Amino acid sequence: MPPSRHAAGGRGGRGGRGSPGGPGGGDGTGEPSRSGGSQPASPLPELLLDGPADAPTLVLAHGAGAPMDSPFLATMAAGLAERGVRVARFEFSYMRARREGGGRKAPDREAELRRAWLAVIAAMDATAAMGATAAMGAPLWIGGKSMGGRIASMIADQAGVRGLVCLGYPFRPPGADPAVAAKRTAHLRDLRTPTLIVQGTRDPFGGRDEVAGYALSPRIHVHWIEDGDHSLKPRKSSGRTEAQNLAEAMDAVAAFVRGH
C-alpha cells in the first residue's frame, strides 16, 4: 500500500505517490554547508505516512542528498509499517526546492535545519490536539538517515521526544580531520533521550573501531549491521544480502520504538 500524504499541521487526505523529481536514487551523505545554500523559512512540509494510524509514530528526515521517497527511506518506512510502527517522512526546504525544479541546491544551514525539525514536531503535536490523526500525539520518536538523524539528535532533548533513531550516523566524513568528529559527537556525550543508532560495520562515516573511541551517552545504543556501508548495504563477498541487512535494521528499530 502506498503511503498517504498529509500536510503537517493540517488535515490531509489519502493519495498516491508523486514523482520523486529532484535528485536521483540512493541516499546522500553530505552535510549542510556553512557558507551557503540556506533557504528562507517556508511553509511546513507535506508528510508521507506509512503504517497503522493508531501505532507509535516515528518521524524520519532524509539525508543530505536524497529526498524523503528515496529507495532507502521508502523501503525502511514500508518495513517498519509492517512491523507496527507509524512512519512520517518530511523534507527540508532545500530538498523541496529541488523537487520543484530549483536544481541541486545545497543543504540549508544547520540552524535552519534545526528550526525545521522543531516546527514539524510542533505541528504534529498541534495536529494531534485537533484529533486529526490518532498516532500523532506527543511524545514522538524522531530520527532519520545520515544528516537527518544527526540534526534530529541535536534537538531531541530540547523537543522532549520519547526516543531517537539514527540510520547511519555521519560521525566523520571520509578523510575529514578528526576535529570534525569531535564536533559532531560533542552533544552526544550528554544526550538524555533514549537513542538507537543503526550503523554498518564498514560505514566510511564511522565504523565499529572508530565509533568505539567516542565518548557517547549511556542512553545511546549502537546496533551494528554486519558488513553494511552507510546505507547498510553489504558486499557480495560477505555472504549477506542488502535485504537481510535492511530487515535486521527494521527489526531493531521496531523493537526499540515499541519497547519504549
Side-chain angles (χ1 to χ4, degrees), residues 11-103:
R11 297 176 183 271
R14 299 292 289 185
R17 295 184 65 164
S19 172
D27 277 88
T29 55
E31 284 291 314
S33 168
R34 293 186 175 275
S35 60
S38 178
Q39 300 296 319
S42 56
L44 287 168
E46 179 183 52
L47 301 175
L48 285 182
L49 302 176
D50 295 81
D54 59 350
T57 299
L58 170 63
V59 188
L60 293 177
H62 55 82
M68 64 180 174
D69 53 5
S70 68
F72 179 89
L73 281 182
T75 299
M76 288 296 300
L80 290 171
E82 293 174 353
R83 290 162 173 78
V85 176
R86 180 75 152 170
V87 178
R89 290 173 278 160
F90 76 95
E91 288 179 342
F92 295 111
S93 62
Y94 79 93
M95 189 60 71
R96 296 201 302 278
R98 289 188 187 185
R99 189 182 293 276
E100 294 165 0

Side-chain angles (χ1 to χ4, degrees), residues 71-188:
F72 179 89
L73 281 182
T75 299
M76 288 296 300
L80 290 171
E82 293 174 353
R83 290 162 173 78
V85 176
R86 180 75 152 170
V87 178
R89 290 173 278 160
F90 76 95
E91 288 179 342
F92 295 111
S93 62
Y94 79 93
M95 189 60 71
R96 296 201 302 278
R98 289 188 187 185
R99 189 182 293 276
E100 294 165 0
R104 295 189 64 83
K105 296 181 180 296
D108 300 319
R109 294 179 185 272
E110 185 179 284
E112 172 60 21
L113 297 173
R114 293 174 65 166
R115 284 194 295 269
W117 249 122
L118 291 170
V120 168
I121 293 169
M124 293 185 73
D125 290 346
T127 299
M130 293 189 299
T133 306
M136 289 189 178
L140 299 164
W141 288 259
I142 66 171
K145 176 74 176 78
S146 192
M147 182 197 76
R150 186 176 82 87
I151 301 301
S153 74
M154 300 176 77
I155 55 91
D157 285 351
Q158 176 185 355
V161 296
R162 177 166 290 183
L164 170 70
V165 174
C166 298
L167 302 170
Y169 191 91
F171 290 94
R172 177 172 64 93
D177 187 277
V180 176
K183 177 179 176 60
R184 290 193 179 184
T185 59
H187 70 287
L188 299 180

Side-chain angles (χ1 to χ4, degrees), residues 156-158 162 187-195 217 219:
D157 285 351
Q158 176 185 355
R162 177 166 290 183
H187 70 287
L188 299 180
R189 297 179 182 180
D190 301 314
L191 190 67
R192 301 187 304 274
T193 303
T195 299
S217 164
R219 302 290 279 172

